[in-house]
């Protein structure tokens, strides 16, 4: 337990300091390994999806002793994550710094004009993709996506979401573009809050992540209409009496041509060496092998696509262009409105 | 009663020696975290979360929630002793707690704070035990208009009764609102009043401002006439606890009222900070000695502490039953539940009975254990005041700097803290009231957000706040509270001639 | 950022305050408890300076809000709406606060030479005491980005103990180091919270 500081642990700590200082020069070459605590920046607040994932990774790394040095999670949420990314961008060549990215690596610089992009960082590994589902209240009359869209065309519906000019609003704008249905987008602080607003019928629909709304689905308060992925979710276990994740149709099947997945990836500071990247790629690979990670993936019905290296870069390139188009069409770019 | 049976089962889980030990560890760590300003309950729990990976969910949540209780208790300590709120919700405690300490009544203030915290928590836990499902349904009624109404009520309860110049009150409050607006506008994602500076994107964090405005400025103003803290140093022993206890039952009405305010604010979920302000405001309004508030009345400690602890505890209820966190700390615990493979929300009470009732039982036990631990330590805490100035002042400065940094992990916040210290020093000497500034700074953002969300929901219809019976009646109560000083000003003038 | 001026400028400005002439008398009469002829910054000077700062903050808000759009859109207020009106209120309130001060100044100008000493915000005597704490604190805050928080804290604690308290250097320096070590163990090792670190920690491999 951390509270029980005895003279011995203090002495050990100091001893460790000295050893670390001495051993620093020797272990540098070839297979690189961190020789001091690794800062893990979360460009979002405590308690959100990115923060949870970062802390799960931190927990897994320490529980399974995957790394000799500890991992320290640091939240830098200011300016929709701009602060965290700027810090990582400024730490050129520092191998002891990781940052977990979500869609705000694309949306924040575009929406605010704060100068950074994924190119300013070193992409290490895509850990997973987060799904988005169109939810409505179970008491609402809309059973299918088509009915919902028809209703939205007849009169503006209220769509709740997390944050402004970020993924939730981008999806909303994309639906509008694909169908012509208008929405009143109402931004809230977090996914949990959005889900509860929907249960309380203060809004008509949301595009929550699965993990944010699953409990209300199971209790019979919410109804999923479609998932914004090219294929159905993989979970086959029954979540309600009649449905499993797999039974939710994709948007495309339902006649709504919108696709959106959110990146959950890890990046490093700019200018770190290939050996350093290789270490983290290997480390994160080991993390994904653990039962705890699988549990998290199953709980949140994540899309477990992973990528590293050039494939990841190409993906980032593509997504950046796509976000730019989506945001431009919606009028979300900085200085546009 | 089904609940009682389940609760007993919960006690048997919580009373396992291993869990009892974790409870103690949690409380002590929590008090430590609560004492350090900046490193609040939310950060503390987030930091320790990965450690709990290896534990069973019940043990983990017991330890983490006990950190939370400990932080709730601990927040009061520095507020009373040094005028530095360890946690946002203990700002209101400084208003009367610190003057009490200056009068040599630190022990009394600490005892009152801890005891009323306990009472608040106890009322909230009893409520959670027996009426959880009903209360959860109530929380669902809160949409943006209701939220705005609650914020409005908080302001109404607190404003319009301050001493000193109304112009200065207005200026202080407007400055608070202005500072709250700096940074990213959550509704449109635009940057406001950052003037192109990246350091400004973060905005002004409430805690950083408060550490400066209250803590640093207090050190500066207290040394004007010599290098020591103002105030008497009374001899403090355990008897002070008993003496205070004999006095506390007299304030039962305030206690109950504040606990109810707290429970309500915790569930809605507006959180502990507005609860403490609102409860302080109401206590001052209702008291015959309203004018003496702020000069060291024990009611001024009881009201905010009871409400804050009641709100902090009941904030866990919407988290457990709805999956919506009632406070930042609850938000982190929520993340914890998901990490341990539990799904917070309506199904939790049905599927994870052991976990839920173990947690509820630990709320009872944890608060009792917490109360005992902090009460025993009262003389020690109060003895800190006897440490020579040259040592304690330097340590306070260091702790404040660390605290300001840890809020957002930003070095610039330490500079801001110092600037706020100077602002606080100047404003206090010129008799600007700081409370409205702080209130506006802490609630300004959320109030504006709720207002604009409401208008989005209603498509720009301003009467939305009076559409629902709930928001309508809260707004009406707020307007009545605002009008109260006017009414009482007119009333005696009319009444007196009639009586004579 | 406008706020900074409040602290940064008032000291030098106050030096030119009209009551500077009484400075010599102050030392002679220092033992007379307050009243009369005590030199320092007057409350009036500070009131005016503070109100001007408030007004400046308000004006900055108005200017920035006008840029963002301070109107009332179809679905409620725009981003700049609230800051605009708050800024305006702040400017007006500051003006309202200045008005009686200005009036009083004119009245006094006509009377001229009344013996009433202005109320003191801070006497030089007090300012000197405050400075003994304030200046080291400012240096401490300024040093953190360069030395890290631990080294700076150790120096601050040692300095306070040795200079402001009656502790010998032999007790002050170890106390300072001990404070920094405790903080280091608590934050970096137990809680895994990274605080600002400098070259010393870098050298030690942290």
């Amino acid at each position: 337990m951390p509270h029980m500081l005895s003279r011995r642990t203090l002495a050990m700590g100091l001893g460790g300091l000295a050893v670390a200082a001495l051993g620093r020069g020797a272990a540098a070459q070839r297979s690189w390994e961190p020789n001091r605590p690794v800062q893990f920046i979360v460009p979002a607040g405590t308690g959100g999806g990115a923060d949870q994932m970062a802390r799960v990774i931190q927990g897994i790394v320490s529980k399974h002793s995957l790394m000799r040095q500890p991992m320290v999670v640091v939240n830098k949420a200011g300016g929709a994550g701009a602060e965290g990314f700027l810090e990582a961008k400024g730490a050129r060549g520092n191998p002891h710094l990781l940052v977990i990215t979500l869609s705000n690596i694309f949306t924040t610089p575009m929406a605010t004009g704060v100068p950074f992009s994924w190119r300013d960082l070193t992409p290490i590994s895509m850990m997973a993709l987060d799904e988005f589902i169109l939810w409505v209240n179970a008491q609402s009359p809309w059973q299918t996506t088509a009915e919902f869209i028809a209703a939205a065309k007849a009169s503006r519906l209220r769509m709740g979401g997390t944050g402004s000019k970020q993924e939730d609003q981008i999806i909303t704008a994309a639906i509008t573009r694909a169908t012509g249905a208008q929405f009143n987008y109402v931004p809230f602080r977090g996914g949990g809050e959005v889900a509860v607003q929907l249960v309380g019928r203060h809004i008509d629909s949301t595009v929550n992540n699965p993990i944010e709304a699953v409990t209300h689905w199971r209790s019979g308060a919410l109804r999923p209409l479609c998932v914004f992925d090219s294929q159905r979710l993989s979970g086959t276990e029954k979540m309600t009496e009649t449905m499993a994740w797999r039974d939710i149709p994709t948007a495309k099947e339902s006649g709504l041509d919108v696709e959106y997945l959110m990146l959950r990836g890890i990046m490093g500071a700019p200018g770190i060496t290939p050996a350093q990247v290789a270490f983290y790629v290997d480390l994160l690979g080991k993390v994904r092998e653990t039962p705890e990670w699988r549990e998290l993936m199953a709980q949140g019905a994540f899309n477990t696509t992973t990528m590293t290296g050039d494939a990841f870069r190409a993906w980032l390139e593509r997504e950046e262009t796509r976000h730019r188009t989506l945001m431009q069409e919606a009028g979300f770019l900085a200085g546009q409105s | 009663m089904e609940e009682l049976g389940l609760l007993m089962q919960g006690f048997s889980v919580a009373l396992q020696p291993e869990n009892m030990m974790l409870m103690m560890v949690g409380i002590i760590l929590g008090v430590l975290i609560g004492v350090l300003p900046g490193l609040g309950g939310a950060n503390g729990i987030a930091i320790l979360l990965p450690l709990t990976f290896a534990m069973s969910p019940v043990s983990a949540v017991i330890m983490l929630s006990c950190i939370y209780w400990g932080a709730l208790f601990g927040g009061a300590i520095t507020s009373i002793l040094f005028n530095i709120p360890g946690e946002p919700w203990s700002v209101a405690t400084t208003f009367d707690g610190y003057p009490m300490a200056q009068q040599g009544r630190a022990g009394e203030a600490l005892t009152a704070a801890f005891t009323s915290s306990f009472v608040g928590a106890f009322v909230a836990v009893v409520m959670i035990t027996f009426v959880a499902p009903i209360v959860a349904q109530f929380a669902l009624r809160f949409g943006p208009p209701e939220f705005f109404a609650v914020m409005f009520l908080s302001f109404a309860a607190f404003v319009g009764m301050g001493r000193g110049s109304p112009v200065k009150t207005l200026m202080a409050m407007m400055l608070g609102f202005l500072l709250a607006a700096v940074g990213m506008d959550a509704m449109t994602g635009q940057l406001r009043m950052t003037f192109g500076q990246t350091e400004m994107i973060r905005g002004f964090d409430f805690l950083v401002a408060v550490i400066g405005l209250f803590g640093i400025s207090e050190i500066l103003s207290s040394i004007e006439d010599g290098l020591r803290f103002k105030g008497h140093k009374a001899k403090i022993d355990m008897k002070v606890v008993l003496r205070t206890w004999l006095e506390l039952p007299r304030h039962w009405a305030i206690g109950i009222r504040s606990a109810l305010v707290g429970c309500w604010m915790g569930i809605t979920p507006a959180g502990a900070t507005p609860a403490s302000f609102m409860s302080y405001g109401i206590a001052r309004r209702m008291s015959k000695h309203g004018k003496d508030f702020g000069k060291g009345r024990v009611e001024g400690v009881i009201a905010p502490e009871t409400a804050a602890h009641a709100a902090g505890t009941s904030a866990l209820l919407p988290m457990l039953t709805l999956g919506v966190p009632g406070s930042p700390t609850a938000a982190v615990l929520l993340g914890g539940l998901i990490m341990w493979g539990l799904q917070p929300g309506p199904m939790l009470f049905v599927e994870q009975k052991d976990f839920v009732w173990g947690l509820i039982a630990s709320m009872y036990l944890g608060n009792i254990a917490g109360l005992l631990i902090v009460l025993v330590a009262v003389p020690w805490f109060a003895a800190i005041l006897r440490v020579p100035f040259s040592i304690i002042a330097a340590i306070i400065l260091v702790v404040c700097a660390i605290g300001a940094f840890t809020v957002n992990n930003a070095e610039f916040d330490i500079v801001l803290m110092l600037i706020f210290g100077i602002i606080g020093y100047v404003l206090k000497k010129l008799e600007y009231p700081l409370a409205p500034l702080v209130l506006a700074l802490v609630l300004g953002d959320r109030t504006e957000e709720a207002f604009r969300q409401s208008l989005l929901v209603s498509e720009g219809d301003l009467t939305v706040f009076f559409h629902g019976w709930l928001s309508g009646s809260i707004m009406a109560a707020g307007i009545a509270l605002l009008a109260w000083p006017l009414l009482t000003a007119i009333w005696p003038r009319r009444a007196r001639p009639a009586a004579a | 950022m406008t706020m900074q001026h409040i602290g940064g400028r008032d000291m030098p400005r106050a030096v030119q305050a009209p009551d500077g002439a009484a400075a010599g008398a102050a030392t002679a009469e220092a033992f007379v408890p307050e009243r009369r002829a005590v030199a320092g910054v007057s409350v009036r000077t500070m009131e005016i300076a503070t109100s001007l700062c408030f007004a400046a903050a308000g004006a900055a808000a108005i200017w920035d809000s006008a840029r963002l759009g301070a109107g009332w859109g179809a679905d409620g207020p725009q981003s700049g709406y609230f800051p605009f009106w708050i800024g305006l209120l702040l400017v007006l309130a500051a003006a309202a606060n200045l008005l009686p001060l200005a009036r009083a100044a004119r009245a006094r100008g006509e009377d001229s030479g009344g013996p009433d000493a202005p109320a003191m915000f801070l006497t030089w005597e007090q300012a000197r005491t405050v400075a003994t704490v304030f200046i080291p604190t400012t240096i401490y805050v300024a040093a953190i980005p360069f030395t890290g928080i631990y080294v700076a804290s150790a120096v601050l604690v040692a300095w306070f103990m040795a200079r402001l308290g009656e502790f010998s250097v032999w007790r002050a320096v170890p106390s300072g180091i001990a404070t920094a070590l405790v903080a280091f163990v608590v934050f970096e090792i137990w809680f895994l919270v990274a605080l600002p670190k400098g070259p010393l920690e870098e050298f030690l491999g942290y």
Side-chain angles (χ1 to χ4, degrees), chain B residues 392-408:
Chain B
I392 201 74
I395 289 178
I396 290 176
L397 288 172
V398 169
V399 167
C400 283
I402 293 177
F405 176 83
T406 46
V407 173
N408 282 322

Side-chain angles (χ1 to χ4, degrees), chain B residues 151 249 385 403 449:
Chain B
M151 291 300 170
L385 288 176
E449 242 173 75

Side-chain angles (χ1 to χ4, degrees), chain B residues 180-203:
Chain B
V182 174
M184 183 167 279
D185 172 19
M187 303 299 293
T188 61
Q190 283 171 306
L191 295 176
R192 295 197 293 199
M193 288 181 280
T194 56
F195 303 103
Q197 301 297 308
T198 41
E199 292 288 5
M200 301 281 279
I201 293 179
R202 210 178 304 116

Side-chain angles (χ1 to χ4, degrees), chain C residues 40-111:
Chain C
V41 190
S42 74
V43 168
R44 212 174 63 85
T45 318
M46 278 313 285
E47 277 284 5
I48 294 171
T50 315
S51 292
L52 289 177
C53 288
F54 269 101
I62 293 174
W63 180 72
D64 189 67
S65 306
R67 179 183 66 85
L68 285 173
W72 191 280
D75 290 334
Q78 289 176 300
S79 279
Y81 182 81
F82 284 103
F84 178 83
W85 288 101
I86 289 165
L88 198 64
L89 263 175
L90 196 55
V91 172
L92 290 178
N97 198 38
L98 280 175
L99 209 64
L101 290 169
R103 215 176 281 155
R106 194 181 305 155
R108 207 173 41 175
E110 281 160 12
D111 286 355

Side-chain angles (χ1 to χ4, degrees), chain B residues 153-487:
Chain B
L153 184 62
S154 305
F155 279 108
F158 204 78
V159 180
M161 44 184 298
R163 277 158 299 172
S165 135
V167 172
K168 286 185 173 176
T169 310
L170 180 70
M171 284 165 77
M173 184 171 252
M174 289 306 130
L175 184 66
F177 277 124
L178 216 53
L179 293 176
V182 174
M184 183 167 279
D185 172 19
M187 303 299 293
T188 61
Q190 283 171 306
L191 295 176
R192 295 197 293 199
M193 288 181 280
T194 56
F195 303 103
Q197 301 297 308
T198 41
E199 292 288 5
M200 301 281 279
I201 293 179
R202 210 178 304 116
F204 294 100
D205 193 276
F206 166 70
L207 262 174
V208 175
V210 162
I211 293 170
L213 286 174
F214 288 76
I216 304 291
S217 81
E218 189 58 39
I219 291 183
L220 294 181
S221 63
S222 107
I223 52 165
E224 278 176 356
D225 301 311
L227 291 174
R228 60 190 161 75
F229 281 111
K230 283 175 189 156
H232 299 281
K233 284 155 196 153
K235 196 165 159 278
I236 293 157
D237 49 34
M238 282 311 285
K239 275 190 216 124
V240 77
V241 174
L242 298 175
R243 251 186 295 123
T244 315
W245 272 8
L246 285 178
E247 209 199 313
L248 284 180
R250 268 200 276 149
H251 305 298
W252 62 273
I254 293 180
I256 291 177
R257 201 168 51 221
S258 309
L260 292 180
V261 168
C263 289
W264 179 48
M265 297 292 272
I267 292 161
T268 49
T273 313
S276 63
F277 278 107
M278 191 190 276
S279 160
Y280 182 86
I282 293 175
R284 185 156 140 194
R285 280 255 158 116
M286 307 285 259
S287 166
K288 270 178 257 160
H289 311 284
K291 285 209 181 70
D292 296 338
F293 270 64
K295 294 177 191 161
R297 285 203 71 85
V298 75
E299 294 99 309
V301 174
I302 296 172
E305 281 294 314
T306 314
H309 222 129
T313 309
S314 50
L316 292 186
L317 185 61
M319 176 197 90
L320 292 172
T321 55
L322 298 172
V324 56
S327 69
T329 318
V332 180
L333 272 178
L334 187 81
L337 291 185
I338 294 169
M339 281 163 65
W340 303 318
L342 297 173
Q343 200 57 255
M347 301 311 282
L348 194 67
F349 272 77
V350 182
E351 291 171 350
Q352 301 284 348
K353 285 203 169 72
D354 264 7
F355 172 83
V356 171
W357 291 97
L359 171 62
I360 292 177
S362 87
M363 291 182 187
Y364 285 97
L365 296 173
N367 272 296
I368 294 172
L371 182 68
L372 290 178
I373 291 176
V374 288
L375 279 183
V376 167
V378 161
W380 294 351
F381 292 138
I384 299 176
L385 288 176
R386 274 181 258 165
V387 176
F389 173 85
S390 59
I391 299 177
I392 201 74
I395 289 178
I396 290 176
L397 288 172
V398 169
V399 167
C400 283
I402 293 177
F405 176 83
T406 46
V407 173
N408 282 322
N409 299 302
E411 278 176 20
F412 185 66
D413 277 350
I414 305 178
V415 179
L416 276 183
M417 169 198 82
L418 187 63
I419 294 169
F420 274 110
I422 300 162
I423 295 175
Y425 173 70
V426 172
L427 294 190
K428 219 178 336 179
K429 290 206 78 175
L430 294 177
E431 289 170 350
Y432 283 86
L434 288 182
L437 195 165
V438 169
L439 185 71
L441 180 56
V442 67
L443 297 185
D445 249 7
R446 317 267 344 232
T447 313
E448 189 195 343
E449 242 173 75
F451 183 82
R452 289 167 67 184
Q453 280 165 351
S454 308
L455 289 184
L456 279 174
V457 167
S458 72
E459 302 190 26
D461 180 3
L462 266 177
T463 58
V464 63
F465 303 108
F466 296 93
H467 283 178
W469 63 269
L470 190 57
S471 59
S473 40
I474 301 172
M475 288 295 287
I479 292 170
L481 269 179
L482 268 186
W484 187 312
L486 286 176
L487 292 177

